[in-house]
Amino acid sequence: FYVQASEVLGKTPEEIRIYLGLPDTPSYIQSVRIPAGTTLREGKVGPQFRFNQPTVSPGAIQFEAFGSRINISNFGSLRPIQPGRPVGQ
């Protein structure tokens, strides 16, 4: 799943974990260029009961490339996220 940069900018790794309903606190971030014509499925992040997150922040939007794979050349380098520091700062 992918999210727009605006969904995580200014949030700490722990805030991102809660906001996106992730099982673990993220330690890396990566940019992805989605090619024109790629079919995307869009939806709101929902509760993740198996990750012990029955609620998530309202409004988080995620995307999934549907029916096709994104070529590895479209992925940027992994960049570390500093614990306790907001992304992009």
Side-chain angles (χ1 to χ4, degrees):
F1 289 95
Y2 312 97
V3 298
Q4 292 185 0
S6 59
E7 295 281 1
V8 297
L9 287 175
K11 292 179 175 59
T12 65
E14 181 62 14
E15 290 170 333
I16 293 169
R17 183 189 71 77
I18 293 167
Y19 186 65
L20 298 179
L22 301 174
D24 299 305
T25 303
S27 52
Y28 292 91
I29 193 166
Q30 185 175 34
S31 297
V32 180
R33 186 180 60 78
I34 307 295
T38 302
T39 301
L40 296 176
R41 183 170 25 191
E42 174 184 344
K44 288 188 176 184
V45 174
Q48 303 295 317
F49 296 103
R50 66 185 172 166
F51 303 146
N52 198 28
Q53 292 196 28
T55 60
V56 294
S57 300
I61 302 294
Q62 62 186 4
F63 299 90
E64 177 184 15
F66 190 68
S68 61
R69 297 179 79 72
I70 306 295
N71 189 293
I72 193 76
S73 65
N74 290 8
F75 288 77
S77 316
L78 282 175
R79 298 183 308 277
I81 302 173
Q82 300 300 318
R85 294 195 54 199
V87 170
Q89 295 182 2

